[in-house]
PDB file of all heavy atoms in Angstrom:
ATOM      1  N   ALA A   1      -9.837 -13.999  -4.817  1.00 76.00           N
ATOM      2  CA  ALA A   1     -10.664 -13.455  -3.739  1.00 76.00           C
ATOM      3  C   ALA A   1     -12.145 -13.691  -4.002  1.00 76.00           C
ATOM      4  O   ALA A   1     -12.900 -14.049  -3.088  1.00 76.00           O
ATOM      5  CB  ALA A   1     -10.387 -11.960  -3.573  1.00 76.00           C
ATOM      6  N   LEU A   2     -12.584 -13.513  -5.239  1.00 75.00           N
ATOM      7  CA  LEU A   2     -13.992 -13.739  -5.568  1.00 75.00           C
ATOM      8  C   LEU A   2     -14.371 -15.207  -5.390  1.00 75.00           C
ATOM      9  O   LEU A   2     -15.468 -15.524  -4.915  1.00 75.00           O
ATOM     10  CB  LEU A   2     -14.260 -13.294  -7.013  1.00 75.00           C
ATOM     11  CG  LEU A   2     -14.249 -11.787  -7.251  1.00 75.00           C
ATOM     12  CD1 LEU A   2     -14.293 -11.494  -8.741  1.00 75.00           C
ATOM     13  CD2 LEU A   2     -15.421 -11.121  -6.537  1.00 75.00           C
ATOM     14  N   ARG A   3     -13.465 -16.100  -5.737  1.00 75.00           N
ATOM     15  CA  ARG A   3     -13.756 -17.523  -5.563  1.00 75.00           C
ATOM     16  C   ARG A   3     -13.851 -17.876  -4.079  1.00 75.00           C
ATOM     17  O   ARG A   3     -14.717 -18.659  -3.665  1.00 75.00           O
ATOM     18  CB  ARG A   3     -12.686 -18.378  -6.241  1.00 75.00           C
ATOM     19  CG  ARG A   3     -12.996 -19.872  -6.147  1.00 75.00           C
ATOM     20  CD  ARG A   3     -12.074 -20.681  -7.013  1.00 75.00           C
ATOM     21  NE  ARG A   3     -10.693 -20.520  -6.630  1.00 75.00           N
ATOM     22  CZ  ARG A   3      -9.678 -20.995  -7.347  1.00 75.00           C
ATOM     23  NH1 ARG A   3      -9.908 -21.612  -8.487  1.00 75.00           N
ATOM     24  NH2 ARG A   3      -8.444 -20.839  -6.932  1.00 75.00           N
ATOM     25  N   ALA A   4     -12.944 -17.275  -3.274  1.00 71.00           N
ATOM     26  CA  ALA A   4     -13.020 -17.522  -1.834  1.00 71.00           C
ATOM     27  C   ALA A   4     -14.348 -17.040  -1.273  1.00 71.00           C
ATOM     28  O   ALA A   4     -14.952 -17.693  -0.414  1.00 71.00           O
ATOM     29  CB  ALA A   4     -11.862 -16.835  -1.129  1.00 71.00           C
ATOM     30  N   ASP A   5     -14.842 -15.900  -1.776  1.00 68.00           N
ATOM     31  CA  ASP A   5     -16.148 -15.398  -1.341  1.00 68.00           C
ATOM     32  C   ASP A   5     -17.256 -16.383  -1.701  1.00 68.00           C
ATOM     33  O   ASP A   5     -18.139 -16.679  -0.896  1.00 68.00           O
ATOM     34  CB  ASP A   5     -16.442 -14.047  -1.989  1.00 68.00           C
ATOM     35  CG  ASP A   5     -15.657 -12.913  -1.359  1.00 68.00           C
ATOM     36  OD1 ASP A   5     -15.050 -13.140  -0.293  1.00 68.00           O
ATOM     37  OD2 ASP A   5     -15.655 -11.817  -1.929  1.00 68.00           O
ATOM     38  N   ALA A   6     -17.214 -16.873  -2.956  1.00 70.00           N
ATOM     39  CA  ALA A   6     -18.258 -17.786  -3.407  1.00 70.00           C
ATOM     40  C   ALA A   6     -18.245 -19.071  -2.594  1.00 70.00           C
ATOM     41  O   ALA A   6     -19.309 -19.583  -2.191  1.00 70.00           O
ATOM     42  CB  ALA A   6     -18.070 -18.096  -4.893  1.00 70.00           C
ATOM     43  N   GLU A   7     -17.054 -19.602  -2.349  1.00 69.00           N
ATOM     44  CA  GLU A   7     -16.959 -20.833  -1.568  1.00 69.00           C
ATOM     45  C   GLU A   7     -17.478 -20.629  -0.149  1.00 69.00           C
ATOM     46  O   GLU A   7     -18.154 -21.498   0.411  1.00 69.00           O
ATOM     47  CB  GLU A   7     -15.507 -21.322  -1.551  1.00 69.00           C
ATOM     48  CG  GLU A   7     -15.034 -21.834  -2.898  1.00 69.00           C
ATOM     49  CD  GLU A   7     -13.549 -22.157  -2.922  1.00 69.00           C
ATOM     50  OE1 GLU A   7     -12.815 -21.642  -2.061  1.00 69.00           O
ATOM     51  OE2 GLU A   7     -13.137 -22.915  -3.809  1.00 69.00           O
ATOM     52  N   ARG A   8     -17.203 -19.456   0.402  1.00 65.00           N
ATOM     53  CA  ARG A   8     -17.678 -19.178   1.756  1.00 65.00           C
ATOM     54  C   ARG A   8     -19.207 -19.075   1.778  1.00 65.00           C
ATOM     55  O   ARG A   8     -19.861 -19.604   2.671  1.00 65.00           O
ATOM     56  CB  ARG A   8     -17.042 -17.884   2.274  1.00 65.00           C
ATOM     57  CG  ARG A   8     -17.465 -17.543   3.692  1.00 65.00           C
ATOM     58  CD  ARG A   8     -16.732 -16.303   4.195  1.00 65.00           C
ATOM     59  NE  ARG A   8     -17.173 -15.962   5.535  1.00 65.00           N
ATOM     60  CZ  ARG A   8     -16.711 -16.527   6.633  1.00 65.00           C
ATOM     61  NH1 ARG A   8     -15.783 -17.464   6.553  1.00 65.00           N
ATOM     62  NH2 ARG A   8     -17.166 -16.170   7.815  1.00 65.00           N
ATOM     63  N   GLU A   9     -19.760 -18.360   0.798  1.00 64.00           N
ATOM     64  CA  GLU A   9     -21.210 -18.188   0.761  1.00 64.00           C
ATOM     65  C   GLU A   9     -21.935 -19.506   0.494  1.00 64.00           C
ATOM     66  O   GLU A   9     -23.068 -19.708   0.925  1.00 64.00           O
ATOM     67  CB  GLU A   9     -21.584 -17.160  -0.304  1.00 64.00           C
ATOM     68  CG  GLU A   9     -21.168 -15.745   0.076  1.00 64.00           C
ATOM     69  CD  GLU A   9     -21.604 -14.720  -0.941  1.00 64.00           C
ATOM     70  OE1 GLU A   9     -22.565 -14.997  -1.688  1.00 64.00           O
ATOM     71  OE2 GLU A   9     -20.994 -13.633  -1.005  1.00 64.00           O
ATOM     72  N   LEU A  10     -21.257 -20.407  -0.222  1.00 64.00           N
ATOM     73  CA  LEU A  10     -21.847 -21.721  -0.492  1.00 64.00           C
ATOM     74  C   LEU A  10     -21.524 -22.723   0.608  1.00 64.00           C
ATOM     75  O   LEU A  10     -21.842 -23.903   0.489  1.00 64.00           O
ATOM     76  CB  LEU A  10     -21.337 -22.249  -1.835  1.00 64.00           C
ATOM     77  CG  LEU A  10     -21.815 -21.482  -3.071  1.00 64.00           C
ATOM     78  CD1 LEU A  10     -21.067 -21.952  -4.306  1.00 64.00           C
ATOM     79  CD2 LEU A  10     -23.321 -21.647  -3.266  1.00 64.00           C
ATOM     80  N   ASP A  11     -20.849 -22.229   1.652  1.00 64.00           N
ATOM     81  CA  ASP A  11     -20.450 -23.070   2.779  1.00 64.00           C
ATOM     82  C   ASP A  11     -19.499 -24.166   2.339  1.00 64.00           C
ATOM     83  O   ASP A  11     -19.494 -25.277   2.873  1.00 64.00           O
ATOM     84  CB  ASP A  11     -21.673 -23.682   3.481  1.00 64.00           C
ATOM     85  CG  ASP A  11     -21.326 -24.165   4.883  1.00 64.00           C
ATOM     86  OD1 ASP A  11     -20.384 -23.606   5.471  1.00 64.00           O
ATOM     87  OD2 ASP A  11     -21.980 -25.097   5.374  1.00 64.00           O
ATOM     88  N   ALA A  12     -18.693 -23.838   1.319  1.00 53.00           N
ATOM     89  CA  ALA A  12     -17.700 -24.805   0.848  1.00 53.00           C
ATOM     90  C   ALA A  12     -16.409 -24.600   1.643  1.00 53.00           C
ATOM     91  O   ALA A  12     -16.181 -23.570   2.255  1.00 53.00           O
ATOM     92  CB  ALA A  12     -17.423 -24.607  -0.648  1.00 53.00           C
ATOM     93  N   THR A  13     -15.566 -25.591   1.632  1.00 52.00           N
ATOM     94  CA  THR A  13     -14.282 -25.515   2.329  1.00 52.00           C
ATOM     95  C   THR A  13     -13.253 -24.886   1.406  1.00 52.00           C
ATOM     96  O   THR A  13     -13.046 -25.343   0.288  1.00 52.00           O
ATOM     97  CB  THR A  13     -13.797 -26.916   2.733  1.00 52.00           C
ATOM     98  OG1 THR A  13     -14.779 -27.502   3.593  1.00 52.00           O
ATOM     99  CG2 THR A  13     -12.470 -26.824   3.462  1.00 52.00           C
ATOM    100  N   VAL A  14     -12.633 -23.806   1.869  1.00 47.00           N
ATOM    101  CA  VAL A  14     -11.583 -23.176   1.070  1.00 47.00           C
ATOM    102  C   VAL A  14     -10.409 -24.129   0.956  1.00 47.00           C
ATOM    103  O   VAL A  14      -9.954 -24.688   1.939  1.00 47.00           O
ATOM    104  CB  VAL A  14     -11.126 -21.850   1.722  1.00 47.00           C
ATOM    105  CG1 VAL A  14     -10.025 -21.201   0.903  1.00 47.00           C
ATOM    106  CG2 VAL A  14     -12.314 -20.906   1.849  1.00 47.00           C
ATOM    107  N   ARG A  15      -9.932 -24.341  -0.245  1.00 49.00           N
ATOM    108  CA  ARG A  15      -8.883 -25.317  -0.475  1.00 49.00           C
ATOM    109  C   ARG A  15      -7.578 -24.907   0.195  1.00 49.00           C
ATOM    110  O   ARG A  15      -7.287 -23.726   0.313  1.00 49.00           O
ATOM    111  CB  ARG A  15      -8.660 -25.489  -1.982  1.00 49.00           C
ATOM    112  CG  ARG A  15      -9.888 -26.012  -2.689  1.00 49.00           C
ATOM    113  CD  ARG A  15      -9.647 -26.103  -4.172  1.00 49.00           C
ATOM    114  NE  ARG A  15      -9.163 -24.835  -4.696  1.00 49.00           N
ATOM    115  CZ  ARG A  15      -8.636 -24.711  -5.905  1.00 49.00           C
ATOM    116  NH1 ARG A  15      -8.496 -25.754  -6.680  1.00 49.00           N
ATOM    117  NH2 ARG A  15      -8.231 -23.540  -6.332  1.00 49.00           N
ATOM    118  N   PRO A  16      -6.762 -25.881   0.632  1.00 43.00           N
ATOM    119  CA  PRO A  16      -5.537 -25.566   1.360  1.00 43.00           C
ATOM    120  C   PRO A  16      -4.568 -24.675   0.587  1.00 43.00           C
ATOM    121  O   PRO A  16      -3.758 -24.005   1.186  1.00 43.00           O
ATOM    122  CB  PRO A  16      -4.932 -26.943   1.626  1.00 43.00           C
ATOM    123  CG  PRO A  16      -6.089 -27.880   1.624  1.00 43.00           C
ATOM    124  CD  PRO A  16      -7.035 -27.332   0.600  1.00 43.00           C
ATOM    125  N   ASP A  17      -4.627 -24.682  -0.767  1.00 47.00           N
ATOM    126  CA  ASP A  17      -3.663 -23.877  -1.526  1.00 47.00           C
ATOM    127  C   ASP A  17      -4.198 -22.494  -1.858  1.00 47.00           C
ATOM    128  O   ASP A  17      -3.563 -21.745  -2.585  1.00 47.00           O
ATOM    129  CB  ASP A  17      -3.265 -24.600  -2.817  1.00 47.00           C
ATOM    130  CG  ASP A  17      -4.449 -24.836  -3.747  1.00 47.00           C
ATOM    131  OD1 ASP A  17      -5.586 -24.573  -3.331  1.00 47.00           O
ATOM    132  OD2 ASP A  17      -4.221 -25.279  -4.879  1.00 47.00           O
ATOM    133  N   GLU A  18      -5.371 -22.131  -1.364  1.00 64.00           N
ATOM    134  CA  GLU A  18      -5.968 -20.837  -1.692  1.00 64.00           C
ATOM    135  C   GLU A  18      -5.517 -19.787  -0.688  1.00 64.00           C
ATOM    136  O   GLU A  18      -6.178 -19.496   0.301  1.00 64.00           O
ATOM    137  CB  GLU A  18      -7.496 -20.951  -1.691  1.00 64.00           C
ATOM    138  CG  GLU A  18      -8.194 -19.766  -2.344  1.00 64.00           C
ATOM    139  CD  GLU A  18      -7.825 -19.629  -3.805  1.00 64.00           C
ATOM    140  OE1 GLU A  18      -8.435 -20.298  -4.636  1.00 64.00           O
ATOM    141  OE2 GLU A  18      -6.898 -18.856  -4.100  1.00 64.00           O
ATOM    142  N   ARG A  19      -4.355 -19.206  -0.938  1.00 76.00           N
ATOM    143  CA  ARG A  19      -3.795 -18.203  -0.040  1.00 76.00           C
ATOM    144  C   ARG A  19      -4.100 -16.819  -0.590  1.00 76.00           C
ATOM    145  O   ARG A  19      -3.964 -16.573  -1.786  1.00 76.00           O
ATOM    146  CB  ARG A  19      -2.288 -18.391   0.092  1.00 76.00           C
ATOM    147  CG  ARG A  19      -1.896 -19.736   0.661  1.00 76.00           C
ATOM    148  CD  ARG A  19      -0.398 -19.909   0.720  1.00 76.00           C
ATOM    149  NE  ARG A  19       0.223 -19.806  -0.593  1.00 76.00           N
ATOM    150  CZ  ARG A  19       1.448 -20.245  -0.878  1.00 76.00           C
ATOM    151  NH1 ARG A  19       2.161 -20.815   0.070  1.00 76.00           N
ATOM    152  NH2 ARG A  19       1.942 -20.120  -2.074  1.00 76.00           N
ATOM    153  N   LEU A  20      -4.506 -15.930   0.287  1.00 85.00           N
ATOM    154  CA  LEU A  20      -4.833 -14.569  -0.112  1.00 85.00           C
ATOM    155  C   LEU A  20      -3.717 -13.644   0.373  1.00 85.00           C
ATOM    156  O   LEU A  20      -3.569 -13.423   1.577  1.00 85.00           O
ATOM    157  CB  LEU A  20      -6.176 -14.155   0.486  1.00 85.00           C
ATOM    158  CG  LEU A  20      -7.356 -15.048   0.079  1.00 85.00           C
ATOM    159  CD1 LEU A  20      -8.624 -14.603   0.786  1.00 85.00           C
ATOM    160  CD2 LEU A  20      -7.547 -15.030  -1.428  1.00 85.00           C
ATOM    161  N   PRO A  21      -2.915 -13.095  -0.540  1.00 89.00           N
ATOM    162  CA  PRO A  21      -1.746 -12.306  -0.125  1.00 89.00           C
ATOM    163  C   PRO A  21      -2.089 -10.848   0.152  1.00 89.00           C
ATOM    164  O   PRO A  21      -2.783 -10.188  -0.626  1.00 89.00           O
ATOM    165  CB  PRO A  21      -0.812 -12.421  -1.333  1.00 89.00           C
ATOM    166  CG  PRO A  21      -1.740 -12.572  -2.503  1.00 89.00           C
ATOM    167  CD  PRO A  21      -2.943 -13.312  -1.994  1.00 89.00           C
ATOM    168  N   ILE A  22      -1.598 -10.325   1.270  1.00 94.00           N
ATOM    169  CA  ILE A  22      -1.669  -8.905   1.565  1.00 94.00           C
ATOM    170  C   ILE A  22      -0.293  -8.463   2.051  1.00 94.00           C
ATOM    171  O   ILE A  22       0.448  -9.252   2.630  1.00 94.00           O
ATOM    172  CB  ILE A  22      -2.759  -8.552   2.594  1.00 94.00           C
ATOM    173  CG1 ILE A  22      -2.468  -9.190   3.948  1.00 94.00           C
ATOM    174  CG2 ILE A  22      -4.129  -8.966   2.091  1.00 94.00           C
ATOM    175  CD1 ILE A  22      -3.422  -8.741   5.036  1.00 94.00           C
ATOM    176  N   ALA A  23       0.045  -7.202   1.798  1.00 95.00           N
ATOM    177  CA  ALA A  23       1.362  -6.674   2.165  1.00 95.00           C
ATOM    178  C   ALA A  23       1.227  -5.753   3.370  1.00 95.00           C
ATOM    179  O   ALA A  23       0.346  -4.886   3.409  1.00 95.00           O
ATOM    180  CB  ALA A  23       1.983  -5.918   0.990  1.00 95.00           C
ATOM    181  N   VAL A  24       2.111  -5.929   4.340  1.00 96.00           N
ATOM    182  CA  VAL A  24       2.111  -5.096   5.541  1.00 96.00           C
ATOM    183  C   VAL A  24       3.547  -4.709   5.873  1.00 96.00           C
ATOM    184  O   VAL A  24       4.494  -5.380   5.469  1.00 96.00           O
ATOM    185  CB  VAL A  24       1.471  -5.825   6.744  1.00 96.00           C
ATOM    186  CG1 VAL A  24       0.033  -6.220   6.439  1.00 96.00           C
ATOM    187  CG2 VAL A  24       2.283  -7.055   7.129  1.00 96.00           C
ATOM    188  N   ASN A  25       3.696  -3.634   6.617  1.00 95.00           N
ATOM    189  CA  ASN A  25       5.032  -3.255   7.066  1.00 95.00           C
ATOM    190  C   ASN A  25       5.384  -4.001   8.347  1.00 95.00           C
ATOM    191  O   ASN A  25       4.512  -4.434   9.101  1.00 95.00           O
ATOM    192  CB  ASN A  25       5.130  -1.750   7.266  1.00 95.00           C
ATOM    193  CG  ASN A  25       4.124  -1.222   8.274  1.00 95.00           C
ATOM    194  OD1 ASN A  25       2.935  -1.481   8.152  1.00 95.00           O
ATOM    195  ND2 ASN A  25       4.592  -0.492   9.265  1.00 95.00           N
ATOM    196  N   ALA A  26       6.667  -4.155   8.588  1.00 94.00           N
ATOM    197  CA  ALA A  26       7.136  -4.990   9.696  1.00 94.00           C
ATOM    198  C   ALA A  26       6.677  -4.466  11.052  1.00 94.00           C
ATOM    199  O   ALA A  26       6.328  -5.247  11.941  1.00 94.00           O
ATOM    200  CB  ALA A  26       8.663  -5.084   9.659  1.00 94.00           C
ATOM    201  N   ASP A  27       6.670  -3.146  11.234  1.00 96.00           N
ATOM    202  CA  ASP A  27       6.283  -2.605  12.536  1.00 96.00           C
ATOM    203  C   ASP A  27       4.805  -2.832  12.830  1.00 96.00           C
ATOM    204  O   ASP A  27       4.430  -3.088  13.978  1.00 96.00           O
ATOM    205  CB  ASP A  27       6.624  -1.117  12.605  1.00 96.00           C
ATOM    206  CG  ASP A  27       8.118  -0.869  12.692  1.00 96.00           C
ATOM    207  OD1 ASP A  27       8.844  -1.790  13.107  1.00 96.00           O
ATOM    208  OD2 ASP A  27       8.563   0.241  12.338  1.00 96.00           O
ATOM    209  N   SER A  28       3.969  -2.739  11.814  1.00 96.00           N
ATOM    210  CA  SER A  28       2.550  -3.045  12.018  1.00 96.00           C
ATOM    211  C   SER A  28       2.374  -4.522  12.330  1.00 96.00           C
ATOM    212  O   SER A  28       1.568  -4.894  13.192  1.00 96.00           O
ATOM    213  CB  SER A  28       1.737  -2.664  10.776  1.00 96.00           C
ATOM    214  OG  SER A  28       1.671  -1.264  10.617  1.00 96.00           O
ATOM    215  N   LEU A  29       3.133  -5.362  11.640  1.00 96.00           N
ATOM    216  CA  LEU A  29       3.051  -6.803  11.898  1.00 96.00           C
ATOM    217  C   LEU A  29       3.462  -7.116  13.329  1.00 96.00           C
ATOM    218  O   LEU A  29       2.887  -7.991  13.979  1.00 96.00           O
ATOM    219  CB  LEU A  29       3.948  -7.549  10.913  1.00 96.00           C
ATOM    220  CG  LEU A  29       3.867  -9.078  10.931  1.00 96.00           C
ATOM    221  CD1 LEU A  29       2.483  -9.569  10.562  1.00 96.00           C
ATOM    222  CD2 LEU A  29       4.905  -9.672   9.991  1.00 96.00           C
ATOM    223  N   ALA A  30       4.436  -6.388  13.853  1.00 95.00           N
ATOM    224  CA  ALA A  30       4.953  -6.651  15.195  1.00 95.00           C
ATOM    225  C   ALA A  30       4.071  -6.070  16.295  1.00 95.00           C
ATOM    226  O   ALA A  30       4.272  -6.392  17.468  1.00 95.00           O
ATOM    227  CB  ALA A  30       6.369  -6.084  15.329  1.00 95.00           C
ATOM    228  N   THR A  31       3.097  -5.232  15.927  1.00 97.00           N
ATOM    229  CA  THR A  31       2.300  -4.564  16.963  1.00 97.00           C
ATOM    230  C   THR A  31       0.816  -4.913  16.890  1.00 97.00           C
ATOM    231  O   THR A  31       0.280  -5.535  17.799  1.00 97.00           O
ATOM    232  CB  THR A  31       2.491  -3.036  16.880  1.00 97.00           C
ATOM    233  OG1 THR A  31       2.284  -2.585  15.530  1.00 97.00           O
ATOM    234  CG2 THR A  31       3.899  -2.644  17.321  1.00 97.00           C
ATOM    235  N   TRP A  32       0.134  -4.558  15.803  1.00 98.00           N
ATOM    236  CA  TRP A  32      -1.328  -4.658  15.830  1.00 98.00           C
ATOM    237  C   TRP A  32      -1.946  -5.568  14.766  1.00 98.00           C
ATOM    238  O   TRP A  32      -3.110  -5.966  14.903  1.00 98.00           O
ATOM    239  CB  TRP A  32      -1.939  -3.261  15.689  1.00 98.00           C
ATOM    240  CG  TRP A  32      -1.585  -2.555  14.411  1.00 98.00           C
ATOM    241  CD1 TRP A  32      -0.524  -1.737  14.193  1.00 98.00           C
ATOM    242  CD2 TRP A  32      -2.283  -2.615  13.166  1.00 98.00           C
ATOM    243  NE1 TRP A  32      -0.499  -1.288  12.886  1.00 98.00           N
ATOM    244  CE2 TRP A  32      -1.583  -1.798  12.248  1.00 98.00           C
ATOM    245  CE3 TRP A  32      -3.445  -3.257  12.737  1.00 98.00           C
ATOM    246  CZ2 TRP A  32      -1.997  -1.619  10.932  1.00 98.00           C
ATOM    247  CZ3 TRP A  32      -3.871  -3.082  11.422  1.00 98.00           C
ATOM    248  CH2 TRP A  32      -3.139  -2.275  10.533  1.00 98.00           C
ATOM    249  N   VAL A  33      -1.216  -5.928  13.718  1.00 98.00           N
ATOM    250  CA  VAL A  33      -1.818  -6.677  12.609  1.00 98.00           C
ATOM    251  C   VAL A  33      -2.251  -8.082  13.017  1.00 98.00           C
ATOM    252  O   VAL A  33      -3.363  -8.530  12.695  1.00 98.00           O
ATOM    253  CB  VAL A  33      -0.867  -6.723  11.394  1.00 98.00           C
ATOM    254  CG1 VAL A  33      -1.307  -7.799  10.389  1.00 98.00           C
ATOM    255  CG2 VAL A  33      -0.841  -5.367  10.691  1.00 98.00           C
ATOM    256  N   LEU A  34      -1.371  -8.820  13.701  1.00 97.00           N
ATOM    257  CA  LEU A  34      -1.728 -10.200  14.057  1.00 97.00           C
ATOM    258  C   LEU A  34      -2.955 -10.258  14.966  1.00 97.00           C
ATOM    259  O   LEU A  34      -3.873 -11.046  14.704  1.00 97.00           O
ATOM    260  CB  LEU A  34      -0.533 -10.906  14.693  1.00 97.00           C
ATOM    261  CG  LEU A  34       0.648 -11.196  13.761  1.00 97.00           C
ATOM    262  CD1 LEU A  34       1.721 -11.977  14.518  1.00 97.00           C
ATOM    263  CD2 LEU A  34       0.218 -11.963  12.523  1.00 97.00           C
ATOM    264  N   PRO A  35      -3.037  -9.469  16.045  1.00 97.00           N
ATOM    265  CA  PRO A  35      -4.273  -9.494  16.843  1.00 97.00           C
ATOM    266  C   PRO A  35      -5.510  -9.097  16.045  1.00 97.00           C
ATOM    267  O   PRO A  35      -6.599  -9.647  16.258  1.00 97.00           O
ATOM    268  CB  PRO A  35      -3.985  -8.484  17.961  1.00 97.00           C
ATOM    269  CG  PRO A  35      -2.505  -8.437  18.065  1.00 97.00           C
ATOM    270  CD  PRO A  35      -1.999  -8.629  16.666  1.00 97.00           C
ATOM    271  N   ALA A  36      -5.345  -8.153  15.108  1.00 98.00           N
ATOM    272  CA  ALA A  36      -6.494  -7.726  14.315  1.00 98.00           C
ATOM    273  C   ALA A  36      -7.017  -8.843  13.416  1.00 98.00           C
ATOM    274  O   ALA A  36      -8.228  -9.018  13.259  1.00 98.00           O
ATOM    275  CB  ALA A  36      -6.105  -6.509  13.468  1.00 98.00           C
ATOM    276  N   LEU A  37      -6.108  -9.609  12.839  1.00 97.00           N
ATOM    277  CA  LEU A  37      -6.496 -10.651  11.889  1.00 97.00           C
ATOM    278  C   LEU A  37      -6.777 -11.997  12.542  1.00 97.00           C
ATOM    279  O   LEU A  37      -7.302 -12.905  11.893  1.00 97.00           O
ATOM    280  CB  LEU A  37      -5.407 -10.827  10.828  1.00 97.00           C
ATOM    281  CG  LEU A  37      -5.186  -9.642   9.885  1.00 97.00           C
ATOM    282  CD1 LEU A  37      -4.003  -9.921   8.967  1.00 97.00           C
ATOM    283  CD2 LEU A  37      -6.444  -9.353   9.062  1.00 97.00           C
ATOM    284  N   ASP A  38      -6.418 -12.134  13.804  1.00 97.00           N
ATOM    285  CA  ASP A  38      -6.540 -13.432  14.465  1.00 97.00           C
ATOM    286  C   ASP A  38      -7.947 -14.037  14.386  1.00 97.00           C
ATOM    287  O   ASP A  38      -8.077 -15.233  14.093  1.00 97.00           O
ATOM    288  CB  ASP A  38      -6.089 -13.325  15.922  1.00 97.00           C
ATOM    289  CG  ASP A  38      -6.128 -14.666  16.624  1.00 97.00           C
ATOM    290  OD1 ASP A  38      -5.416 -15.584  16.181  1.00 97.00           O
ATOM    291  OD2 ASP A  38      -6.874 -14.805  17.613  1.00 97.00           O
ATOM    292  N   PRO A  39      -9.033 -13.280  14.618  1.00 95.00           N
ATOM    293  CA  PRO A  39     -10.358 -13.898  14.514  1.00 95.00           C
ATOM    294  C   PRO A  39     -10.643 -14.485  13.131  1.00 95.00           C
ATOM    295  O   PRO A  39     -11.288 -15.536  13.015  1.00 95.00           O
ATOM    296  CB  PRO A  39     -11.316 -12.743  14.838  1.00 95.00           C
ATOM    297  CG  PRO A  39     -10.510 -11.814  15.670  1.00 95.00           C
ATOM    298  CD  PRO A  39      -9.122 -11.893  15.101  1.00 95.00           C
ATOM    299  N   LEU A  40     -10.154 -13.839  12.078  1.00 93.00           N
ATOM    300  CA  LEU A  40     -10.374 -14.344  10.721  1.00 93.00           C
ATOM    301  C   LEU A  40      -9.571 -15.615  10.479  1.00 93.00           C
ATOM    302  O   LEU A  40     -10.053 -16.556   9.853  1.00 93.00           O
ATOM    303  CB  LEU A  40      -9.997 -13.282   9.687  1.00 93.00           C
ATOM    304  CG  LEU A  40     -10.721 -11.941   9.769  1.00 93.00           C
ATOM    305  CD1 LEU A  40     -10.300 -11.048   8.621  1.00 93.00           C
ATOM    306  CD2 LEU A  40     -12.224 -12.135   9.771  1.00 93.00           C
ATOM    307  N   VAL A  41      -8.333 -15.626  10.957  1.00 93.00           N
ATOM    308  CA  VAL A  41      -7.492 -16.811  10.792  1.00 93.00           C
ATOM    309  C   VAL A  41      -8.075 -17.978  11.577  1.00 93.00           C
ATOM    310  O   VAL A  41      -8.125 -19.120  11.082  1.00 93.00           O
ATOM    311  CB  VAL A  41      -6.048 -16.510  11.241  1.00 93.00           C
ATOM    312  CG1 VAL A  41      -5.198 -17.781  11.248  1.00 93.00           C
ATOM    313  CG2 VAL A  41      -5.416 -15.465  10.320  1.00 93.00           C
ATOM    314  N   GLN A  42      -8.534 -17.715  12.791  1.00 93.00           N
ATOM    315  CA  GLN A  42      -9.146 -18.783  13.589  1.00 93.00           C
ATOM    316  C   GLN A  42     -10.416 -19.307  12.933  1.00 93.00           C
ATOM    317  O   GLN A  42     -10.797 -20.469  13.135  1.00 93.00           O
ATOM    318  CB  GLN A  42      -9.456 -18.275  15.003  1.00 93.00           C
ATOM    319  CG  GLN A  42      -8.253 -17.822  15.805  1.00 93.00           C
ATOM    320  CD  GLN A  42      -7.229 -18.936  16.021  1.00 93.00           C
ATOM    321  OE1 GLN A  42      -7.551 -20.119  15.980  1.00 93.00           O
ATOM    322  NE2 GLN A  42      -5.974 -18.550  16.243  1.00 93.00           N
TER     323      GLN A  42
END
């Protein structure tokens, strides 16, 4: 996570294998999580 921050602040491209894992419950995923995170993913 810290490296992703540094790359972002340096305007570097986050590497394709740099995945940031978070855990969510299925009902939240089916209702509000995807719309909430969509701007960040885009």
Side-chain angles (χ1 to χ4, degrees):
L2 288 171
R3 183 170 61 189
D5 284 349
E7 290 173 340
R8 181 176 178 83
E9 290 183 23
L10 292 171
D11 199 27
T13 300
V14 179
R15 298 177 307 167
D17 61 352
E18 194 62 84
R19 299 177 300 198
L20 301 177
I22 64 173
V24 301
N25 58 307
D27 289 338
S28 290
L29 187 62
T31 50
W32 61 270
V33 165
L34 291 184
L37 294 175
D38 183 61
L40 302 184
V41 173
Q42 299 300 336

